Amino acid sequence: MGLNAVVAACYVFPVLVSVLAVRFFYVLWHSGQPESRLCATRLRCLIVLGSGGHTAEMMNIVTTLQKDRFTPRYYVAALTDNMSLQKAQVYEQSLIQSNGTKAGESAHFMQIYRSREVGQSYVTSIATTLLATLHAMWLVIRIRPQVIFCNGPGTCFPLCISAFVLKVLGLGWSSIFYIESIARVKKLSLSGLLLYKLRIADQFFVQWPQLQHEYPRACYAGRLM
């Protein structure tokens, strides 16, 4: 009985690896292609916020979205970043007051473990990154976003990786839109560089023409601030 199980595993494992490999390259090829899934009337939207200017830039982008289409909106920030979620809550409250939207109907606010704190050593950041990735995977599985907007904070990387893994496993499809911060004039941020090199983002935007020349697969969007 045990020998038969080992023999069966020897046959199944290579097939499983082959299927995952084919699926992996299919997802890579399909990223950036026109997405028919985005034709839906409503799209669950995950918006990644970050400390400093990241949240200001992202909220500026959020104001341009069609609110009746990109709904519900899930705002995610690092566990140690309370200011970002407060800004998002103030904005969503203003929409409620102006449009009469019911509270809690279209906006949700969540926090995630930070991969690496400022000044944290790279050795100890391995454990915190793993914890953040597991937490990100749980959030993505729970939300099942159809669209992800991010612009450079470290918290966006585990979320995008988790969404990509679910794509490969066929458990969901999230179109990832990455908008590099306007502060990045000549070089990408670490999060942006990883997403660009790994081809995880479906659409990759930069705000400076010289940055687009350096990274030709990026799209020049002009200054958004």
Side-chain angles (χ1 to χ4, degrees):
M1 186 68 178
L3 181 60
N4 291 336
V6 171
V7 172
C10 290
Y11 281 104
V12 172
F13 183 72
V15 173
L16 181 60
V17 171
S18 299
V19 170
L20 288 176
V22 171
R23 178 70 183 178
F24 174 80
F25 287 108
Y26 167 78
V27 171
L28 279 183
W29 172 81
H30 203 272
S31 294
Q33 301 292 327
E35 185 52 62
S36 60
R37 296 175 180 85
L38 296 184
C39 295
T41 305
R42 290 191 171 189
L43 298 168
R44 286 186 307 279
C45 182
L46 192 155
I47 301 166
V48 186
L49 305 177
S51 57
H54 290 296
T55 292
E57 290 186 40
M58 182 54 67
M59 293 309 300
N60 191 59
I61 294 170
V62 170
T63 59
T64 66
L65 298 179
Q66 294 178 316
K67 304 305 181 295
D68 56 343
R69 187 181 184 205
F70 291 93
T71 184
R73 292 177 293 281
Y74 294 85
Y75 294 90
V76 179
L79 196 60
T80 55
D81 179 12
N82 294 317
M83 293 297 295
S84 294
L85 287 183
Q86 287 179 6
K87 292 177 181 178
Q89 288 169 343
V90 169
Y91 172 73
E92 289 292 337
Q93 189 64 35
S94 69
L95 293 181
I96 294 173
Q97 294 174 353
S98 61
N99 302 328
T101 307
K102 292 182 180 179
E105 183 180 271
S106 60
H108 307 269
F109 308 93
M110 301 178 172
Q111 291 181 299
I112 185 175
Y113 290 109
R114 191 188 291 271
S115 299
R116 181 175 178 267
E117 296 288 350
V118 177
Q120 182 181 353
S121 69
Y122 288 102
V123 175
T124 58
S125 66
I126 295 175
T128 55
T129 299
L130 178 60
L131 179 62
T133 302
L134 292 174
H135 191 197
M137 181 67 73
W138 177 79
L139 280 179
V140 172
I141 291 175
R142 177 184 173 186
I143 298 172
R144 295 295 177 92
Q146 294 161 285
V147 181
I148 297 177
F149 291 104
C150 51
N151 67 340
T155 49
C156 77
F157 185 69
L159 288 165
C160 291
I161 285 290
S162 300
F164 185 81
V165 170
L166 291 186
K167 284 184 184 181
V168 174
L169 296 177
L171 299 177
W173 192 283
S174 301
S175 294
I176 301 172
F177 293 85
Y178 182 87
I179 306 97
E180 185 57 279
S181 171
I182 195 172
R184 294 293 174 169
V185 179
K186 296 181 178 180
K187 293 184 179 180
L188 297 176
S189 62
L190 179 58
S191 297
L193 184 62
L194 290 172
L195 294 178
Y196 182 88
K197 293 294 185 181
L198 296 175
R199 297 175 180 263
I200 290 177
D202 293 89
Q203 294 290 333
F204 196 104
F205 298 97
V206 294
Q207 301 188 55
W208 295 94
Q210 58 267 40
L211 203 55
Q212 196 273 334
H213 294 153
E214 186 71 21
Y215 303 94
R217 283 191 288 105
C219 299
Y220 172 55
R223 258 79 81 191
L224 303 177
M225 286 292 287

